Amino acid sequence: MIASIIYDTTKLTPGHITSLFVVIGAFLGIFGFYDVLIENIGSGMSLPITSFGNCLVNAAYEGFHENGFYGLFSGMYSTTSAGISGAVIFGFLVTLFFKPKD
């Protein structure tokens, strides 16, 4: 609903809005508010777009504590690789069955 309101009232594209939600989820995760929101709101906050930003931040933080500077990057890749791979595979499968509009 929030994305629809933003899309209808601004000149932002769907890509901009999606990126905005990922960044908002990351900032909420940095300051520790995302976990509080998940506890109080529940499954609505664990949607794939905003939770992806939070997941990136948490993985980078944990990787840094385990492996130092290199862990910032390796932690993010190991944690989010399943979600990214799933998006690529399902995107490919959708293109096999559906044709774009002219």
Side-chain angles (χ1 to χ4, degrees):
M1 180 180 82
I2 294 171
S4 295
I5 292 170
I6 293 171
Y7 184 71
D8 290 340
T9 58
T10 66
K11 292 184 179 183
L12 295 176
T13 64
H16 289 114
I17 296 168
T18 302
S19 299
L20 177 70
F21 283 178
V22 171
V23 170
I24 289 171
F27 276 116
L28 290 173
I30 287 171
F31 298 113
F33 295 126
Y34 204 86
D35 294 331
V36 173
L37 291 173
I38 287 177
E39 290 175 6
N40 293 326
I41 295 174
S43 64
M45 286 304 295
S46 60
L47 294 172
I49 302 298
T50 54
S51 66
F52 184 71
N54 181 48
C55 184
L56 285 173
V57 168
N58 288 337
Y61 183 73
E62 290 173 10
F64 179 75
H65 283 290
E66 291 176 6
N67 299 324
F69 182 73
Y70 177 72
L72 282 172
F73 305 104
S74 64
M76 284 191 294
Y77 294 137
S78 64
T79 302
T80 60
S81 62
I84 294 170
S85 299
V88 170
I89 291 169
F90 287 119
F92 174 73
L93 292 175
V94 166
T95 61
L96 292 177
F97 296 108
F98 298 101
K99 296 198 181 261
K101 293 182 181 179
D102 291 331

